[in-house]
């Protein structure tokens, strides 16, 4: 059988390391390109049946046309999310496959890492002790034991976050349009409406997908309902939070702390090094000035296990498509 050729965009060193290792089993011919997939870089894919992209490669109609003209027929997303692809336009031109789940543990554990850091201020202690400042003034936290965590979205990731936090002895209230009552009973948690969750939670952690009805669910009016000093954690999607309202809540001290792995305008910045540049996004720049705001650059997924799963599922998706004409992880305009 002829070797499949894959054009791999937005390659980072870690992508290459994990895909090359798993590809020893498949033997595909992978060309790793550093640039993101854009109109200008799409010609690099000419002659490649498969194109592999990540979350910040925006696959527009123009790009789909270029890829199709160059002979591409399969778009393999190495991500779960697919809001970056125009599925309607891709229909009947490119088949699109993805990695539906790679490590819910990675994301849930990262959310808890953000909580612990913000609560016990270890990010500040690290800097202090390196400067021989051994004062603990201002570093006081709270026992998470017996406090209430509000979990928004109890899918794969939300459920693992709940299990971890139950281990700390936290009370859990949860909101999900499709509650899992058996899970609730087993873990002794309570499903409540979203307003009650806002009112009762000491820590609110977002684990739902972004849908048209929950854009900016954290905004000035929902923040007003929350407990004073609430901690907000977002490893879901940036647009779940109205960032300007969040900043106002932090400035007024209504919000005690915020841990953000995602940001609504992250596409221009996250995954790239701007340490020698001025940041032109004033909202992001303001966020980085608060000692009680911790930003990570969409790294919640970033574990060895998740990268292994991403590489395995992506290459298996490609093998199944070409060797067996099967598309178990397909997403398309008509089937979603
Ligand atoms: P999942 O599909 O297993 O669970 C999502 C849950 O959210 C479902 O139970 C669903 O009923 C619920 N839901 C849907 N709309 C809701 C709403 N308006 N309010 C509350 N709950 C709602 O998804 P999974 O694997 O748990 O992932 C959750 C989200 O985490 C993803 O959609 C993605 O946005 C984000 N994510 C972030 C990563 C990161 O690196 N920061 C990596 C992977 C996922």
């Amino acid at each position: 059988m002829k070797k499949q050729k894959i054009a791999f965009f937005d390659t980072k060193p870690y992508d290459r390391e994990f895909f090359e290792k798993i590809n020893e089993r498949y033997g595909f011919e992978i060309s790793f390109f550093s640039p993101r997939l854009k109109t200008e870089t799409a010609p690099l894919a000419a002659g490649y049946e498969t194109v592999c992209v990540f979350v910040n490669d925006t696959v527009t109609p123009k790009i789909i046309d270029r890829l199709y003209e160059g002979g591409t027929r399969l778009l393999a997303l190495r991500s779960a999310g697919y809001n970056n692809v125009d599925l309607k336009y891709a229909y009947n031109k490119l088949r699109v496959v993805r990695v539906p789940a790679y490590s819910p543990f990675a994301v849930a554990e990262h959310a808890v890492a953000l909580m612990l850091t913000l609560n016990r201020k270890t990010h500040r202690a690290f800097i202090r002790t390196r400067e021989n400042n051994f004062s603990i003034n201002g570093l006081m936290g709270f026992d998470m034991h017996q406090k209430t965590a509000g979990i928004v979205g109890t899918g794969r990731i939300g459920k693992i976050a709940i299990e971890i936090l139950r281990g700390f002895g936290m009370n859990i209230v949860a909101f999900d349009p499709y509650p899992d009552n058996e899970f609730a009973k087993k873990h002794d948690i309570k499903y409540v409406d979203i307003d009650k969750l806002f009112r009762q939670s000491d820590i609110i952690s977002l684990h739902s997908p972004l849908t048209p009805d929950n854009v900016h669910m954290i905004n000035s009016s929902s923040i007003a309902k929350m407990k004073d000093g609430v901690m907000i954690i977002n490893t879901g999607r940036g647009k779940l939070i109205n960032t300007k309202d969040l900043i106002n809540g932090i400035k007024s001290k209504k919000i005690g702390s915020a841990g953000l792995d995602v940001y609504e305008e992250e596409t221009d910045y996250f995954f790239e090094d701007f340490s020698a540049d001025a940041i032109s996004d004033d909202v992001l720049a303001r966020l980085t000035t608060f000692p009680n705001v911790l930003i990570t650059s969409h790294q919640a997924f970033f574990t060895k296990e998740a990268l292994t799963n991403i590489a395995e599922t992506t290459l298996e998706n490609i093998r199944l498509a070409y060797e067996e004409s099967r598309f178990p992880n397909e997403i398309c305009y008509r089937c979603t």
Side-chain angles (χ1 to χ4, degrees):
M1 189 173 270
K2 142 172 117 72
K3 262 191 185 176
Q4 278 305 317
K5 285 173 71 185
I6 304 170
F8 196 102
F9 283 87
D10 200 6
T11 309
K12 296 283 185 281
Y14 43 84
D15 293 316
R16 191 170 183 145
E17 180 192 334
F18 280 82
F19 272 81
E20 279 183 339
K21 188 160 171 241
I22 304 296
N23 193 39
E24 285 169 12
R25 304 208 291 265
Y26 288 88
F28 294 129
E29 204 179 306
I30 308 180
S31 300
F32 291 97
F33 300 123
S34 303
R36 288 186 183 168
L37 178 61
K38 293 183 185 154
T39 325
E40 310 84 65
T41 60
L44 287 170
Y48 290 82
E49 293 102 314
T50 300
V51 163
C52 182
V53 297
F54 196 46
V55 291
N56 286 325
D57 296 296
T58 309
V59 190
T60 60
K62 207 166 171 187
I63 290 176
I64 291 168
D65 282 340
R66 291 257 165 104
L67 295 181
Y68 186 79
E69 285 155 18
T72 300
R73 295 295 177 266
L74 182 68
L75 184 67
L77 311 182
R78 47 184 198 278
S79 62
Y82 47 86
N83 50 308
N84 50 326
V85 180
D86 190 328
L87 287 181
K88 191 170 178 182
Y89 197 80
Y91 190 68
N92 274 339
K93 294 188 186 73
L94 303 178
R95 296 194 76 161
V96 185
V97 288
R98 66 169 180 145
V99 184
Y102 30 88
S103 174
F105 299 99
V107 184
E109 288 170 12
H110 190 78
V112 176
L114 293 175
M115 288 175 204
L116 289 169
T117 306
L118 286 167
N119 177 19
R120 305 309 301 269
K121 304 176 180 62
T122 45
H123 57 309
R124 299 181 61 201
F126 174 78
I127 292 166
R128 277 194 196 184
T129 54
R130 286 165 75 93
E131 293 181 348
N132 296 340
N133 176 356
F134 300 103
S135 157
I136 58 171
N137 281 333
L139 301 185
M140 194 188 296
F142 57 85
D143 283 12
M144 285 165 71
H145 180 76
Q146 291 293 297
K147 297 294 183 306
T148 299
I151 304 296
V152 179
T154 56
R156 283 175 285 242
I157 297 168
K159 279 183 174 138
I160 293 163
I162 289 171
E163 289 181 44
I164 297 171
L165 298 176
R166 285 295 290 146
F168 290 173
M170 292 195 83
N171 303 315
I172 309 286
V173 291
F175 170 73
D176 195 302
Y178 304 98
D180 182 341
N181 293 319
E182 218 166 279
F183 178 85
K185 203 166 157 202
K186 182 168 172 210
H187 294 279
D188 194 17
I189 70 159
K190 211 153 89 189
Y191 278 105
V192 294
D193 64 45
I194 192 72
D195 279 355
K196 215 175 221 176
L197 184 147
F198 289 146
R199 279 199 299 272
Q200 294 184 348
S201 305
D202 299 289
I203 298 174
I204 295 173
S205 195
L206 307 179
H207 299 289
S208 63
L210 182 71
T211 62
D213 43 284
N214 65 11
V215 173
H216 287 175
M217 64 174 290
I218 304 296
N219 55 38
S220 53
S221 97
S222 55
I223 290 169
K225 294 172 192 156
M226 294 176 193
K227 283 190 176 178
D228 291 346
V230 63
M231 179 192 293
I232 298 178
I233 303 292
N234 189 8
T235 58
R237 280 291 176 266
K239 276 198 173 8
L240 294 171
I241 296 184
N242 179 324
T243 316
K244 285 188 179 154
D245 289 356
L246 182 85
I247 288 173
N248 287 334
I250 294 162
K251 280 159 76 179
S252 71
K253 301 197 168 59
K254 174 78 183 171
I255 295 172
S257 55
L260 310 174
D261 187 53
V262 285
Y263 163 59
E264 50 184 328
E265 302 300 336
E266 71 181 49
T267 319
D268 289 342
Y269 291 98
F270 281 20
F271 304 119
E272 306 301 333
D273 180 0
F274 287 92
S275 52
D277 287 304
I279 292 217
S280 55
D281 180 334
D282 290 345
V283 176
L284 180 59
R286 182 67 178 103
L287 274 178
T288 60
T289 65
F290 295 110
N292 52 348
V293 172
L294 181 54
I295 298 174
T296 53
S297 186
H298 207 136
Q299 71 172 76
F301 77 99
F302 199 49
T303 65
K304 289 178 196 161
E305 291 76 7
L307 285 183
T308 304
N309 289 341
I310 288 171
E312 279 176 347
T313 309
T314 304
L315 296 181
E316 183 63 9
N317 280 342
I318 297 168
R319 187 193 73 77
L320 286 171
Y322 286 104
E323 288 185 11
E324 301 182 20
S325 293
R326 291 203 294 125
F327 300 83
N329 293 320
E330 180 169 30
I331 35 160
C332 76
Y333 162 61
R334 292 202 186 275
C335 46
T336 48

